[in-house]
Amino acid sequence: MESRYQGIAASPGITIGTAYLVGFPEFQIRKYRITEGGINKELDRWQAAVDATRHEIENIKRRVAQEVGFKEAEIFNAYLHVLQDPLLVQATMEQIRAQRCNAEYVLQEIASGLGRQFTEAKDEYLRERASDINDVVARLLRNLTGQAKRLLTGAEHDIIMIAKDLAPAQTASMRRERVVGFATDIGGKTSHAAIMARSLEIPAVVGLKNITDMVETGDTLIVDGSAGLVIVNADTRILTQYRQAQQRNLQASRKLRKLKGITAVSRDGYRLNVAANIEFPEDVRKARKYGAEGVGLFRTEFLYMNRRDLPSEDEQFEAYCQVARQSLPYSTIIRTMDLGGDKFLSRLGTSAETNPFLGLRAIRLCLTYIELFKTQLRAILRASQFGKIKIMFPLISDVEELRQAKAVLNEVRQELSRRRIAFDKHMETGLMIELPSAALTADVLAREADFFSIGTNDLIQYTMAVDRINEKVAYLYNPLHPAILRLIKKTIEAGHNERIWVGICGEMAADPQLTALLFGMGLDEFSTEPSFVPQIKKVIREIHLARSRELAEEVLACATTKEIENCLQNQIQDKEGCDEKAVK
Ligand code: PEP
Ligand code: MG
């Protein structure tokens, strides 16, 4: 019987395959006694498993560094630390001696105690580490029980991995061509699994809550990573529909990739800049592959995550230089760190908040931890002479906050000038419009900024009072609510009145059904995940700005979301009608 589960869309695309549940249940651990004389042999067996596991992890780390990037490979240092942790390694040896029991039994006992401590830890970083421990222990168990060969590498079908939380080592050690999708109980768009899936361009859905209870190894799964949907054991009719959609997607993306060199010029000759959103410096390669015209949003907070220490000024400088250089001749918009909300940084020791999305997030956190902020600003300014860097501040709520952020930037500029360190004195300074309070005062903000970038992901969340990662209220999260479109329009008008350019970098920019509307509203730049760039350019080339303006006017006069949807639907049908006439 078919069942459907809705989660968080983590990596786009459709995939069909056989479920494989990752986790401990595959091990049948037997307890048996060791004789006094056999203890040294058991300790040797344990040591051999530790060595083999270390070897395995070092190999994966090397491979990930080559195939994905150095930053992702660093995640595996945490695994190597687990393997050196006396609470795991020494304790197992001591218990083998004390209990005179076999290594795998002792290990499993110790690991489940440790796992509990980590899962219940107050510290976010330690909680995240629980999945690292699970993965290392699973590897040790496989090596001890001789089940190492039962890994997916021998699988004959296309595999969809199902796990509570997917550890990056598990992702990376699977043969790329066999693993065609992921689905996990927990996690959001920024979880390890989501980041890895996007890097590898494999469809994935996360945050499904209990998918591990609903699926068994061997079930047939459809993972729709764009819709955040998992369908288990669908009937032949649904499978055929999704296979066809998958084929269409593949053909379309192959065709689209060929268009990477085109520019987004409308039929009546108006040009739009289409840039890319990136999370890691290595993503610039992907942005170029899809023909992005620069980086419209570099989410720098990822440089701070998944690590115990903070990135130094020099490390950040290198990262920003790399992106800025590789984006030339186009520009790179570096967004200052957007930590807080759902992206925590345990290193700062900030206390837990009841409503983190309404708390010490983004620019608020930067203006609280000024030295942390200044370090990032110094790195950005120093890098600004090696490319066309623009800086933008997230979550600005009013002009006073913008002034405070700019004052800190000016202090850093003066400090660098005093130290005779070069930087681009004309670097553009902009802000994200992602709070209703900013959109409603955009006329005031525009007088003191060089550009706006509309962050619709948050603008929708804060306007509609809908947590953007809570699937229970996802039905209210609608970009076509009249309030959202009016705030966008107001922002664009306010920016243009002050002669500054206005872009959009939220997920709305990636939806081709909304391209004409947003273009008609007057946006100057769209910035999206790299793989969406060709599609958006293609749509722009098929439309007229004049007609798009009329559409925008019609839509803005609508009273309800339903009316707006109908209006857009009619526009699509009109267009199809025109295309058919053109063919005849
Ligand atoms: C947004 O809010 O639309 C945005 C682009 O920023 P982020 O998704 O990183 O919050
Ligand atoms: Mg945002």
Side-chain angles (χ1 to χ4, degrees):
M1 246 257 297
E2 173 190 305
S3 15
R4 293 177 175 233
Y5 303 95
Q6 185 67 48
I8 298 164
S11 183
I14 291 173
T15 186
I16 300 171
T18 307
Y20 183 93
L21 260 112
V22 185
F24 283 58
E26 64 182 290
F27 299 104
Q28 306 280 328
I29 304 292
R30 242 175 3 106
K31 178 181 180 180
Y32 56 90
R33 296 232 157 259
I34 308 285
T35 59
E36 180 73 44
I39 288 195
N40 280 343
K41 214 166 137 211
E42 190 62 9
L43 289 174
D44 287 348
R45 197 166 76 84
W46 165 244
Q47 192 54 52
V50 171
D51 293 344
T53 306
R54 184 180 308 106
H55 195 63
E56 247 173 60
I57 295 172
E58 278 165 354
N59 277 343
I60 298 170
K61 186 178 159 192
R62 233 187 329 273
R63 232 175 49 224
V64 171
Q66 280 162 4
E67 290 172 15
V68 185
F70 286 106
K71 196 85 235 142
E72 284 83 353
E74 272 175 23
I75 294 168
F76 298 100
N77 289 337
Y79 285 50
L80 293 169
H81 280 135
V82 173
L83 261 188
Q84 285 163 2
D85 193 334
L87 287 176
L88 188 79
V89 183
Q90 282 298 114
T92 304
M93 290 172 79
E94 277 160 23
Q95 286 306 311
I96 291 172
R97 278 197 204 97
Q99 297 186 33
R100 286 210 215 139
C101 263
N102 55 317
E104 46 274 65
Y105 177 77
V106 169
L107 170 66
Q108 203 181 29
E109 266 199 333
I110 290 174
S112 63
L114 271 182
R116 249 195 322 277
Q117 280 175 31
F118 276 78
T119 316
E120 289 162 10
K122 282 213 176 73
D123 184 322
E124 174 71 18
Y125 182 84
L126 290 182
R127 278 204 304 278
E128 281 172 13
R129 297 287 72 82
S131 70
D132 298 347
I133 295 184
N134 280 348
D135 191 57
V136 172
V137 170
R139 283 171 191 282
L140 283 164
L141 288 173
R142 281 190 202 108
N143 283 316
L144 279 167
T145 56
Q147 292 184 35
K149 300 288 170 269
R150 273 194 52 208
L151 277 173
L152 283 182
T153 42
E156 282 168 11
H157 305 287
D158 284 346
I159 292 296
I160 294 181
M161 290 177 59
I162 304 295
K164 286 207 173 307
D165 187 13
L166 207 49
Q170 288 164 316
T171 316
S173 65
M174 305 304 160
R175 276 223 321 266
R176 172 72 212 277
E177 63 271 26
R178 286 280 173 240
V179 177
V180 295
F182 306 111
T184 58
D185 283 349
I186 58 175
K189 269 192 184 287
T190 63
S191 64
H192 278 150
I195 294 166
M196 276 289 184
R198 280 201 295 270
S199 293
L200 297 169
E201 295 182 43
I202 292 174
V205 179
V206 298
L208 284 146
K209 291 199 173 137
N210 59 349
I211 194 76
T212 48
D213 297 331
M214 301 302 166
V215 170
E216 284 181 18
T217 295
D219 282 344
T220 301
L221 297 192
I222 300 170
V223 171
D224 183 341
S226 311
L229 181 69
V230 174
I231 308 178
V232 184
N233 295 331
D235 62 29
T236 339
R237 187 178 57 86
I238 300 287
L239 275 172
T240 311
Q241 274 174 13
Y242 272 89
R243 282 214 177 91
Q244 286 166 348
Q246 190 184 18
Q247 270 323 101
R248 282 198 301 275
N249 279 355
L250 278 175
Q251 279 163 3
S253 71
R254 240 178 258 133
K255 252 197 204 158
L256 280 171
R257 224 183 272 182
K258 287 197 189 129
L259 303 178
K260 67 172 244 189
I262 61 171
T263 45
V265 180
S266 66
R267 287 197 169 169
D268 46 353
Y270 291 90
R271 192 182 185 314
L272 179 83
N273 201 58
V274 188
N277 292 351
I278 65 166
E279 278 82 38
F280 293 104
E282 298 79 17
D283 295 342
V284 191
R285 249 183 292 152
K286 205 161 98 189
R288 292 181 66 101
K289 184 174 94 181
Y290 284 102
E293 295 157 319
V295 171
L297 167 65
F298 180 5
R299 291 185 163 101
T300 57
E301 56 277 8
F302 283 89
L303 294 175
Y304 294 75
M305 294 170 74
N306 282 318
R307 56 192 290 166
R308 271 238 168 257
D309 57 346
L310 291 168
S312 67
E313 182 186 319
D314 283 346
E315 181 186 334
Q316 291 187 63
F317 165 74
E318 291 296 336
Y320 305 148
C321 277
Q322 180 187 340
V323 175
R325 278 202 185 104
Q326 291 184 19
S327 296
L328 284 171
Y330 302 106
S331 57
T332 297
I333 302 183
I334 300 185
R335 170 174 82 181
T336 57
M337 69 191 101
D338 181 4
L339 288 163
D342 59 342
K343 291 178 269 189
F344 302 105
L345 190 58
S346 49
R347 179 73 180 75
L348 290 178
T350 48
S351 52
E353 296 173 293
T354 318
N355 291 311
F357 272 119
L358 304 182
L360 197 62
R361 180 186 167 190
I363 197 67
R364 302 167 182 185
L365 185 131
C366 285
L367 293 173
T368 306
Y369 295 93
I370 292 283
E371 282 314 312
L372 181 79
F373 190 31
K374 282 187 169 173
T375 305
Q376 181 173 38
L377 296 177
R378 266 195 300 273
I380 296 173
L381 280 167
R382 281 172 53 202
S384 65
Q385 52 161 343
F386 297 101
K388 290 185 193 160
I389 289 183
K390 299 174 186 176
I391 190 169
M392 90 176 157
F393 303 119
L395 215 76
I396 293 284
S397 54
D398 61 27
V399 76
E400 280 172 342
E401 206 167 29
L402 175 64
R403 284 179 191 154
Q404 280 181 52
K406 286 176 70 177
V408 182
L409 180 64
N410 274 338
E411 273 178 45
V412 176
R413 279 194 177 112
Q414 283 161 13
E415 180 202 320
L416 291 183
S417 297
R418 269 197 310 277
R419 290 165 54 199
R420 299 187 187 288
I421 295 175
F423 60 91
D424 174 8
K425 299 212 165 44
H426 307 288
M427 181 179 72
E428 284 186 28
T429 307
L431 67 140
M432 293 190 71
I433 301 286
E434 45 187 354
L435 296 186
S437 62
L440 291 167
T441 53
D443 53 335
V444 185
L445 288 162
R447 287 181 217 132
E448 305 191 22
D450 296 317
F451 66 92
F452 288 155
S453 183
I454 306 177
T456 47
N457 303 343
D458 278 314
L459 187 62
I460 300 167
Q461 151 163 276
Y462 293 121
T463 307
M464 305 299 300
V466 174
D467 181 344
R468 67 192 251 192
I469 59 172
N470 182 343
E471 73 284 355
K472 293 191 194 97
V473 285
Y475 68 99
L476 288 168
Y477 190 94
N478 194 329
L480 294 180
H481 191 285
I484 305 299
L485 298 181
R486 286 174 196 201
L487 289 173
I488 294 175
K489 183 66 186 161
K490 198 171 171 53
T491 303
I492 298 169
E493 276 174 1
H496 288 177
N497 282 343
E498 293 298 328
R499 299 182 180 286
I500 66 170
W501 66 267
V502 184
I504 179 173
C505 60
E507 294 298 312
M508 245 179 120
D511 185 344
Q513 313 238 9
L514 306 183
T515 306
L517 169 66
L518 293 170
F519 187 47
M521 286 168 89
L523 285 161
D524 304 292
E525 177 176 288
F526 283 29
S527 189
T528 79
E529 282 288 312
S531 56
F532 295 97
V533 168
Q535 170 79 49
I536 300 302
K537 284 182 170 178
K538 181 169 174 280
V539 175
I540 293 288
R541 291 171 70 89
E542 289 165 356
I543 58 183
H544 290 83
L545 179 60
R547 174 69 193 106
S548 302
R549 280 187 180 140
E550 284 165 23
L551 173 71
E553 259 177 48
E554 244 177 273
V555 162
L556 283 161
C558 291
T560 65
T561 306
K562 191 87 211 123
E563 282 178 31
I564 294 173
E565 283 167 356
N566 287 343
C567 209
L568 290 176
Q569 193 54 37
N570 291 343
Q571 166 242 347
I572 291 166
Q573 277 159 6
D574 279 0
K575 189 182 161 299
E576 280 166 4
C578 287
D579 289 349
E580 270 168 33
K581 272 184 218 149
V583 172
K584 283 173 195 163

